[in-house]
Amino acid sequence: MSRIAVVGAGSWGTTLAALLTDNGHRVVLWALEPEVADQVMRERENTRFLAGIRLPEALAATSDLGAALKDADVLVNTVPSQFVGSVMERAAPHVEAGCQIVSASKGIETATLRRMDEVLRDVLGEAAMSGFAVLSGPSFALEVARRVPTLVVAASANAQAAERVQQLFQNAYLRVYTNTDVVGVELGGALKNVIALAAGMSAGLGFGHNTLAALITRGLAEITRLGQAMGARAATFAGLAGMGDLVLTCTGELSRNRSVGWRLGRGESLESILSEMSAVAEGVKTAQAAYDLAVRHKVEMPLTREVCAILAEGRSAREALANLMERDPKPEEGG
């Protein structure tokens, strides 16, 4: 039995905290909002981020970060990517020596273009990252909370660390595979959200399966090109953290990024869409970071570029599609 602190009480953090509790571990869930922590403790629910799910009686929750991390031998970070740095700076003085760090946040820090493993290393220090692992893959929080069979991947440069995460999380409804390609798994989880925005826009414009299949396929090509340029293995993007998560997020109705894209395709403004959301659609911030990384590494990512133009420049989804369709003809490989 491990003492686990889950930092972040959104839908994914709450789901993982409940799962780990059910697996027999002593879990404390940290919530930024005191009212969320209070509701978990009093009512065994988190109606703000995971409505309709009864939480285990043994799950503890607090809005005191130091208390959540006290004596923890595993820290699971689920904070939205743009806030990981600031939250972990607060957490750092309370992280015990030897505590294993697990990242379950999907995104790229826009100001610095750092992946989550890079953010955590810079904030917590090299020694704290010796057992680091990233948990990713096609996994809607609500479905995992409902115990729908789900497969994910735990990636670490340290094979023993990945195996420990596998043992911590795996149960009858969550199967965990291991991987050593941290860069590829991090990028797959982050970049698929950008393509999901495009998939949602396509649906909002009224286009069908032909267009969706093209977006997923060419989106995967872009993700793989950038990943390889950054040192990832191409095979990783054919796996759960790549193609698996991409298909889920581009097609599933529970996808926040697809939903944002759908509304943009219908003609709504980004500002009005985001003002109505309590949860975070990571792709909105990650899109520009992804394109900036593409420029840095001299990788062509036309689909990502058009998504950025829609989000930041007010370009219409229909105009963006025309730009993509009217590009000069190219061979499929590398095109």
Side-chain angles (χ1 to χ4, degrees):
M1 182 175 67
S2 295
R3 167 69 160 78
I4 302 174
V6 177
V7 179
S11 59
W12 191 222
T14 304
T15 294
L16 291 180
L19 179 147
L20 290 164
T21 303
D22 285 342
N23 284 2
H25 303 292
R26 291 189 299 127
V27 183
V28 179
L29 175 65
W30 175 79
L32 175 66
E33 306 87 352
E35 63 272 17
V36 170
D38 290 344
Q39 186 185 43
V40 171
M41 293 299 290
R42 286 185 293 102
E43 302 175 24
R44 297 291 115 193
E45 287 190 73
N46 181 351
T47 55
R48 180 169 179 178
F49 296 112
L50 196 66
I53 300 298
R54 179 75 180 175
L55 301 174
E57 293 294 331
L59 173 61
T62 181
S63 58
D64 183 330
L65 191 54
L69 289 165
K70 183 175 175 57
D71 299 325
D73 47 34
V74 180
L75 186 166
V76 180
N77 172 63
T78 68
V79 174
S81 60
Q82 304 311 311
F83 304 101
V84 169
S86 59
V87 171
M88 286 299 119
E89 284 177 358
R90 292 174 53 198
H94 306 287
V95 176
E96 304 277 350
C99 179
Q100 182 172 16
I101 310 300
V102 180
S103 175
S105 298
K106 298 176 179 179
I108 298 168
E109 191 175 64
T110 55
T112 64
L113 305 187
R114 294 181 297 179
R115 303 182 309 272
M116 294 300 97
D117 60 305
E118 295 174 313
V119 173
L120 291 165
R121 178 173 286 103
D122 289 347
V123 174
L124 300 178
E126 191 67 40
M129 298 293 283
S130 61
F132 171 81
V134 55
L135 188 73
S136 191
S139 48
F140 286 143
L142 185 58
E143 291 196 0
V144 176
R146 290 173 173 167
R147 304 191 174 192
V148 172
T150 301
L151 279 64
V152 296
V153 59
S156 178
N158 179 334
Q160 290 182 330
E163 289 169 3
R164 185 186 182 203
V165 171
Q166 184 180 51
Q167 293 164 3
L168 288 171
F169 285 88
Q170 183 154 309
N171 59 24
Y173 58 92
L174 187 75
R175 181 170 175 81
V176 184
Y177 288 86
T178 60
N179 194 314
T180 58
D181 184 8
V182 171
V183 175
V185 170
E186 287 270 28
L187 289 175
L191 300 180
K192 55 90 181 181
N193 288 323
V194 181
I195 308 306
L197 288 169
M201 294 176 205
S202 172
L205 288 168
F207 299 134
H209 298 295
N210 291 359
T211 314
L212 177 60
L215 286 169
I216 291 173
T217 306
R218 298 312 304 164
L220 183 64
E222 290 192 10
I223 293 170
T224 304
R225 281 200 297 268
L226 179 59
Q228 287 184 284
M230 294 177 64
R233 296 194 300 267
T236 300
F237 301 106
L240 291 166
M243 176 60 84
D245 212 357
L246 181 63
V247 169
L248 180 77
T249 314
C250 287
T251 62
E253 293 184 359
L254 290 175
S255 168
R256 291 190 292 267
N257 292 281
R258 183 185 182 278
S259 296
V260 170
W262 184 82
R263 294 176 66 177
L264 287 169
R266 301 275 291 181
E268 296 183 52
S269 72
L270 181 62
E271 182 180 15
S272 66
I273 296 168
L274 297 182
S275 69
E276 297 173 12
M277 296 180 66
S278 59
V280 175
E282 290 276 16
V284 174
K285 293 290 187 182
T286 298
Q288 188 61 55
Y291 188 63
D292 290 344
L293 282 171
V295 172
R296 174 185 290 181
H297 292 278
K298 298 180 172 58
V299 173
E300 188 177 8
M301 297 183 75
L303 182 52
T304 300
R305 183 189 64 228
E306 293 297 328
V307 171
C308 287
I310 292 167
L311 296 176
E313 301 170 19
R315 182 173 296 172
S316 72
R318 195 170 293 276
E319 181 184 359
L321 176 68
N323 291 341
L324 291 167
M325 293 296 289
E326 294 168 11
R327 295 168 64 229
D328 291 339
K330 294 184 177 184
E332 182 178 25
E333 185 178 353

